[in-house]
Amino acid sequence: MMTEHEKDMKPRKVAEYRGEEARRQAAQVLMEMTGASNAGEAQNVLLGRPRLKQGETTVQVHFKATQEMATWLAEQRKRSGMRYISEYLRMLVERDMDDHASHHHTAQRA
């Protein structure tokens, strides 16, 4: 049987929080769940816009594509299991950057 002290020490249910205390508690839970350092970053992670790299500045890149390209990208994104085309495009660019760095490193050795 639980002592009175143990009852006082057990975690409170989310519904027991109110007002500012509820907001702080919810933000803390979100940050813990996502590994984010603040509530805004946690929200971005949950909305499918996770941070790319810790401590690096990010910029948005836009380009136009033909309908055929857009259709192909959507199919490839789906096949890869990724949630967003932007995630798929980042993966392609990162792969190309890695390949380039690898070829550059190999060429320097020769």
Side-chain angles (χ1 to χ4, degrees), residues 27-69:
Q28 183 63 38
V29 168
L30 287 175
M31 289 184 298
E32 288 173 8
M33 289 173 56
T34 60
S37 59
N38 61 61
E41 187 179 347
Q43 180 179 6
N44 284 340
V45 170
L46 292 172
L47 291 174
R49 297 183 299 248
R51 62 194 167 280
L52 299 179
K53 290 186 178 177
Q54 193 69 22
E56 283 195 31
T57 301
T58 59
V59 296
Q60 243 180 341
V61 177
H62 300 271
F63 69 96
K64 289 188 177 191
T66 64
Q67 182 60 54
E68 181 183 15
M69 290 171 70

Side-chain angles (χ1 to χ4, degrees), residues 52-53 72-73 75-100:
L52 299 179
K53 290 186 178 177
W72 185 86
L73 280 171
E75 290 168 358
Q76 297 306 306
R77 188 257 345 138
K78 187 175 183 178
R79 188 177 310 158
S80 72
M82 294 180 183
R83 291 175 59 186
Y84 302 100
I85 290 174
S86 60
E87 183 180 17
Y88 178 74
L89 290 171
R90 274 193 302 275
M91 182 269 304
L92 291 177
V93 171
E94 287 172 350
R95 184 188 303 162
D96 195 45
M97 288 173 69
D98 289 345
D99 287 348
H100 178 75

